[in-house]
Amino acid sequence: MDYDVFDLGDVRLQNGATLPDAKLAYKTYGELNADKSNAIVYPTWYSGQHDDNEWLIGEGMALDPATYFIIIPNMLGNGLSSSPGNTPPPHDRARFPHVTMYDNVQVQHRLVTEQFGIERLELVTGWSMGGGQTYQWAVSHPDMVRRILPFCGAATTSLHNIVFLEGVKAALTADAAWNNGWYHEQPGIGLRAMARVYAGWGFSQQFYRERVYEREPLGHGSLEDFLVGFWEGLFIKRDANNLLAMLWTWQNADIGRTPGFDGVEEALAAIRMPAIVMPAQQDLYFPPEDNEWEVSHMPNAELRVIPGAWGHFAGGGLNPVDTKFIDDALKELLAKDA
């Protein structure tokens, strides 16, 4: 096991349910300095785990373990932290309670403060749902977070994004083997169908038109090879109930529901730390227009669009050009006084 587990005890969730004996899996990179002033939180994304985030960490990069103490907390539901697939009855499988972005950040805050005694974070950053958690950190703990850089994510899930996720959910749950969540073997047909639906959204029309999947670093021999090798390969190794639990979290993401706030505009206005918000130019479910609206309500934020054809996966660490663009922005933001 290449990660640690923080025991949370019984956690009362935002919707009133209790998640008993909850666990938060996490991994750290680098060393916490003496005054505990070099910490960064870098949450995971939909279906991703801590090792899927490691592409943005390294020597000479903004997230350099020689300089910073980087904490990657695994999102609740992702199979390592408490999830439908690893929680004992009666809260297992289809009975796993609904978890919000707010809940995720609350338990991450406990990890940061109780386990490490950290009072200030130099940065919170993340891709996709990691970007959503980044926004939530800024709203829930504004006095603690010095800077944020969410990329290919959003402060609240748009109606169009919810519709996309309904298609993903329908494909998965249409498999009779899913059995309303009470399966004993993974619903393989549903997982593969879900991957096919996702494939039309994760990359842009230009990406497919120009057959970028045939070039390095992907290097697939055909469209079908890409659909099977990349997309089905991504989801077939995941647990269906875990995916559905995280999907609910995604669909219900909204910083405007943070206790003490009356809607998303008020919550965005409270994000006063320096921020660079980075959508991808052709992201089909977190489009730049949505982030542009968010930034217009944030007093100290800049919109910086990731150019190119990779769509949402511009933030996935697969394309070196996009990785450098994100890393350069992180370096610039970390150099700013906050």
Side-chain angles (χ1 to χ4, degrees):
M1 191 169 74
D2 71 336
Y3 59 92
D4 295 301
V5 175
F6 180 57
D7 291 320
L8 295 158
D10 294 349
V11 172
R12 182 64 57 86
L13 300 171
Q14 189 176 12
N15 66 0
T18 298
L19 180 58
D21 193 25
K23 313 288 185 186
L24 182 62
Y26 68 95
K27 187 169 181 178
T28 64
Y29 306 76
E31 300 293 332
L32 188 61
N33 61 13
D35 61 359
K36 301 183 179 182
S37 63
N38 67 332
I40 289 172
V41 170
Y42 177 24
T44 57
W45 40 274
Y46 183 71
S47 85
Q49 298 177 347
H50 58 271
D51 54 345
D52 296 306
N53 277 16
E54 290 177 346
W55 60 272
L56 198 52
I57 299 172
E59 182 181 356
M61 302 184 75
L63 306 190
D64 189 335
T67 303
Y68 293 106
F69 180 64
I70 303 148
I71 305 167
I72 301 182
N74 285 273
M75 192 164 54
L76 294 170
N78 85 339
L80 299 182
S81 294
S82 287
S83 305
N86 63 19
T87 297
H91 293 85
D92 61 321
R93 295 183 287 173
R95 286 296 190 208
F96 191 77
H98 288 151
V99 175
T100 63
M101 291 285 200
Y102 174 82
D103 294 323
N104 272 285
V105 169
Q106 288 302 94
V107 298
Q108 291 168 21
H109 179 263
R110 285 188 54 193
L111 168 69
V112 169
T113 57
E114 296 175 19
Q115 181 76 354
F116 298 110
I118 296 167
E119 297 178 354
R120 296 275 284 178
L121 294 172
E122 283 294 291
L123 171 75
V124 181
T125 189
W127 174 48
S128 195
M129 285 187 78
Q133 291 165 83
T134 298
Y135 277 106
Q136 188 65 61
W137 261 102
V139 174
S140 291
H141 304 287
D143 295 333
M144 187 174 186
V145 180
R146 299 191 70 191
R147 307 168 184 83
I148 62 167
L149 195 154
F151 53 101
C152 305
T156 183
T157 302
S158 71
L159 294 177
H160 186 244
N161 200 338
I162 290 170
V163 171
F164 151 63
L165 291 168
E166 282 298 307
V168 169
K169 180 168 64 177
L172 176 56
T173 58
D175 186 347
W178 177 62
N179 194 32
N180 293 315
W182 297 107
Y183 53 85
H184 293 283
E185 294 183 2
Q186 292 298 323
I189 293 173
L191 288 166
R192 291 179 186 275
M194 172 184 177
R196 296 273 173 149
V197 174
Y198 222 108
W201 291 79
F203 295 92
S204 74
Q205 292 95 337
Q206 181 186 352
F207 176 93
Y208 284 105
R209 183 170 61 250
E210 297 180 357
R211 302 175 185 263
V212 178
Y213 54 83
E214 294 181 354
R215 307 177 205 158
E216 294 301 326
L218 294 174
H220 289 275
S222 66
L223 180 60
E224 181 65 15
D225 185 46
F226 178 57
L227 293 175
V228 174
F230 182 86
W231 283 107
E232 291 186 15
L234 181 64
F235 287 110
I236 200 70
K237 59 187 178 183
R238 304 304 189 198
D239 177 271
N241 280 329
N242 292 353
L243 291 170
L244 290 167
M246 289 182 287
L247 190 148
W248 190 96
T249 302
W250 183 349
Q251 284 190 313
N252 289 274
D254 184 353
I255 61 169
R257 297 176 189 167
T258 304
F261 289 91
D262 184 19
V264 65
E265 292 185 23
E266 184 177 310
L268 286 168
I271 302 176
R272 300 188 175 275
M273 70 285 292
I276 299 178
V277 176
M278 298 188 70
Q281 184 177 19
Q282 300 187 61
D283 195 324
L284 297 178
Y285 43 86
F286 293 119
E289 295 83 359
D290 289 352
N291 287 145
E292 183 179 11
W293 180 86
E294 292 169 352
V295 166
S296 73
H297 291 82
M298 298 165 67
N300 198 13
E302 172 194 345
L303 184 76
R304 191 174 300 183
V305 180
I306 306 168
W310 282 65
H312 187 61
F313 269 76
L318 298 173
N319 182 19
V321 175
D322 295 330
T323 297
K324 184 179 185 305
F325 193 88
I326 295 165
D327 186 58
D328 286 346
L330 283 166
K331 287 176 178 175
E332 180 182 329
L333 184 61
L334 283 165
K336 284 186 177 180
D337 292 331

